[in-house]
Amino acid sequence: MSAVVATIQDVSKLFGRFAALRRVSATLETGRCYLLLGENGAGKSTLLRVLAGLLQPTLGTVDVLGRTAAAARGRVGYMSHATMLYDELTARENLDYTAQLYAGTACLSSDQALRMLGLDPQLTRPVAQYSQGMRQRTSLARVLVPQPELLLLDEPFSNMDRASAERMLVLLSELRGAGRTIVLTTHQRELAEPMADVIWTMQGGALETTEAQ
């Protein structure tokens, strides 16, 4: 049986009277891909942010790599809707800056991370001039720099052409094969489903879990 990476136990997240998460429980295991599906507003992004340690649950507990989610943030890679890139910098400069935030961590070099996503480290134009697809790939490269054990990806294929999305899927499959655990949301279910081990479906803040076929 695979090692447990994270556990979510009876987690609810309230914003005023609105329950974004309703008694969510789940277990994440090493080297598995969890495909998180649901309509807009179902609670997907909130769940990812709770796992990433960016939001505290109102009720319930979250354990990530034997710690609280907040304490484990250095070992978790979170890719949000916002690319979190500095538009005036090149891709390499963005990744160099990220590496500085993880002093003492065995980081990938900027060149390594960019090449993993099929990007040229020698590009000198700022990321503000990149296509949306290139920005998405640069954003994932930034997330991969500290070599996180748990990857949380919120709509990683957004604004990507099919070829770029398929290239990213190949990389994610390789990372999963190397023991990384991946949770990703997407409205392009047909793209990600072939690599999914578990399907999580959210509706009204509640989570249903099924093993992928």
Side-chain angles (χ1 to χ4, degrees):
M1 184 175 176
S2 299
V4 172
V5 172
T7 56
I8 307 163
Q9 187 65 43
D10 285 329
V11 164
S12 295
K13 180 61 184 177
L14 306 179
F15 295 99
R17 294 185 176 180
F18 174 70
L21 299 177
R22 298 173 185 268
R23 299 197 66 178
V24 171
S25 293
T27 300
L28 289 77
E29 296 179 347
T30 302
R32 304 199 90 196
C33 177
Y34 298 80
L35 176 57
L36 179 55
L37 303 173
E39 299 296 328
N40 290 338
K44 303 186 303 297
S45 294
T46 301
L47 180 57
L48 289 187
R49 289 174 62 80
V50 166
L51 270 171
L54 300 173
L55 282 177
Q56 282 287 105
T58 306
L59 299 168
T61 59
V62 180
D63 178 286
V64 179
L65 297 163
R67 313 176 179 190
T68 66
R73 279 169 61 176
R75 297 163 69 187
V76 176
Y78 172 61
M79 180 179 173
S80 65
H81 284 292
T83 60
M84 306 299 288
L85 300 171
Y86 292 95
D87 283 347
E88 69 277 12
L89 302 180
T90 67
R92 177 190 269 170
E93 288 168 342
N94 267 282
L95 270 59
D96 285 345
Y97 175 74
T98 297
Q100 292 175 22
L101 302 177
Y102 292 89
T105 299
C107 291
L108 295 174
S109 72
S110 298
D111 288 14
Q112 284 175 309
L114 290 168
R115 288 195 180 103
M116 286 172 73
L117 273 299
L119 295 164
D120 181 1
Q122 305 303 322
L123 282 179
T124 57
R125 68 179 187 269
V127 296
Q129 297 176 20
Y130 281 14
S131 68
Q132 284 299 313
M134 287 178 69
R135 287 172 65 85
Q136 283 292 98
R137 285 188 283 160
T138 304
S139 180
L140 180 56
R142 180 192 62 78
V143 169
L144 294 179
V145 164
Q147 304 194 76
E149 296 164 63
L150 173 61
L151 282 168
L152 308 172
L153 311 177
D154 201 349
E155 293 290 344
F157 313 120
S158 178
N159 300 309
M160 274 193 178
D161 59 62
R162 183 82 182 201
S164 295
E166 288 177 350
R167 181 181 184 119
M168 184 181 283
L169 278 168
V170 169
L171 172 60
L172 293 176
S173 294
E174 290 171 352
L175 291 169
R176 180 189 60 174
R180 309 291 174 81
T181 302
I182 299 168
V183 182
L184 67 88
T185 74
T186 180
H187 289 293
Q188 297 166 278
R189 177 173 181 161
E190 73 287 351
L191 271 178
E193 194 162 16
M195 71 168 282
D197 299 294
V198 178
I199 307 294
W200 283 350
T201 305
M202 294 205 75
Q203 184 173 4
L207 182 72
E208 179 181 322
T209 300
T210 55
E211 290 287 323
Q213 299 298 316

